Amino acid sequence: QVQLVESGGGLVQPGGSLRLSCAASGSISNIYTMGWYRQAPGKERELVANVTALSHTNYGDFVKGRFTISRDNAKNAVSLQMNSLKPEDTAVYYCNADIRTTAWVMKIYWGQGTQVTVSS
């Protein structure tokens, strides 16, 4: 079994910062792309950012330099530093990862989600 466990969500004022973290554990052979998605009420889930095993990054257009994704391959972890947060960033944020298990099965895994609320 493989699990992704997220932490770091919460309530922040507009213009503030939050750091989300996600760690993968379990029967892992290789982790390829890791990333963050978000879903606001009534909207579809959208890509926030992802990073490949070679540290190539990709961001959603709405990020506009405010967020930074990073990963620690030794810890099977990915983080998202979010600065200059706006009320429209309010959503549930989900970690995901493309993982090959020790049983040599490739699958996309998701975390349980963490709420980010940007409000004064």
Side-chain angles (χ1 to χ4, degrees):
Q1 292 289 344
V2 173
Q3 282 188 318
L4 299 183
V5 178
E6 301 138 337
S7 61
L11 173 65
V12 64
Q13 293 186 341
S17 299
L18 279 177
R19 185 176 181 85
L20 306 182
S21 297
C22 172
S25 63
S27 303
I28 297 169
S29 177
N30 301 94
I31 301 180
Y32 300 95
T33 300
M34 302 185 80
W36 292 91
Y37 284 72
R38 71 183 188 184
Q39 188 166 20
K43 294 188 176 181
E44 293 187 354
R45 192 172 294 191
E46 61 181 349
L47 173 70
V48 179
N50 59 25
V51 54
T52 70
L54 298 179
S55 296
H56 297 137
T57 59
N58 181 42
Y59 292 92
D61 289 342
F62 59 86
V63 170
K64 298 187 187 300
R66 299 181 297 130
F67 300 173
T68 302
I69 191 170
S70 60
R71 68 187 280 173
D72 184 335
N73 291 328
K75 296 181 178 180
N76 292 338
V78 64
S79 296
L80 183 70
Q81 177 66 40
M82 303 187 293
N83 299 326
S84 302
L85 284 161
K86 306 174 183 180
E88 51 264 43
D89 293 319
T90 296
V92 178
Y93 284 68
Y94 296 92
C95 172
N96 90 332
D98 296 335
I99 294 175
R100 184 184 298 279
T101 69
T102 53
W104 221 241
V105 173
M106 277 291 296
K107 185 178 175 180
I108 297 174
Y109 290 87
W110 293 87
Q112 78 282 2
T114 185
Q115 177 70 45
V116 171
T117 302
V118 185
S119 175
S120 55

